[in-house]
Amino acid sequence: MIGNIYAIAAVAIIGGGLFGFDISSMSAIISIPQYKCYFQSGPIPDNPADCTGPSADVQGGITAAMPGGSWLGALCSGYISDLFGRKKAIMIGAVIWWIGSTIICAAQNVPMLVVGRIINGFCVGICSAQVPVYISELAPPSKRGRLVGAQQWAITWGIMIMF
């Protein structure tokens, strides 16, 4: 068992960076031809450069699925944490993340992609609400602010790097 708060916070910081990557991941792929052709609304043209991708409202739904799931996960995170404890709630979030990522990677159509993003968003909601509190509970008062701040900072850097 690891008892060093810096080691625990380092895992949380890496996880925060990965959350940031996932939150802004759509901005990195919506313009590439492979995405546009695979999720094309309407017939697929002969030339991949002519693919327009999903229609604007469908793309909006795909993009909004992640924050929608995050909203729901944040609402449920307190109940899950009260029921299982913060550490197990974070572990449950990791399992939910794995399920959502598997669905996204296997997405054959837009509904499957949206469902996977909602599930991943649910995990983001749970973990973004519970990880800072968990770090705060473990850290001594003199280190609490910098460790929680570093985790939040990593989320911001992840968003910026992926965007």
Side-chain angles (χ1 to χ4, degrees):
M1 185 167 113
I2 297 174
N4 183 339
I5 188 61
Y6 288 110
I8 295 168
V11 172
I13 289 167
I14 292 167
L18 294 174
F19 278 162
F21 284 162
D22 195 57
I23 288 168
S24 64
S25 63
M26 287 307 297
S27 66
I29 65 166
I30 61 174
S31 63
I32 63 173
Q34 295 87 346
Y35 174 80
K36 287 181 177 182
C37 288
Y38 197 81
F39 294 108
Q40 171 78 17
S41 293
I44 298 174
D46 293 331
N47 184 1
D50 295 334
C51 290
T52 58
S55 62
D57 58 338
V58 172
Q59 184 58 54
I62 293 168
T63 304
M66 173 73 73
S70 296
W71 176 78
L72 186 61
L75 284 177
C76 297
S77 69
Y79 177 75
I80 293 169
S81 179
D82 289 345
L83 198 60
F84 298 108
R86 289 195 211 297
K87 187 175 181 180
K88 287 200 176 165
I90 294 167
M91 290 177 185
I92 290 168
V95 170
I96 293 169
W97 179 271
W98 179 78
I99 292 167
S101 295
T102 302
I103 292 170
I104 290 169
C105 289
Q108 297 296 307
N109 50 36
V110 171
M112 196 171 174
L113 181 62
V114 169
V115 167
R117 285 185 55 82
I118 290 171
I119 292 170
N120 269 12
F122 189 78
C123 164
V124 169
I126 291 171
C127 292
S128 65
Q130 296 305 322
V131 169
V133 177
Y134 183 67
I135 293 172
S136 294
E137 288 175 343
L138 295 179
S142 63
K143 297 176 182 157
R144 196 169 288 156
R146 88 178 72 137
L147 294 175
V148 173
Q151 195 260 347
Q152 296 299 325
W153 189 63
I155 294 171
T156 305
W157 271 96
I159 292 169
M160 186 182 75
I161 291 168
M162 186 59 103
F163 191 70

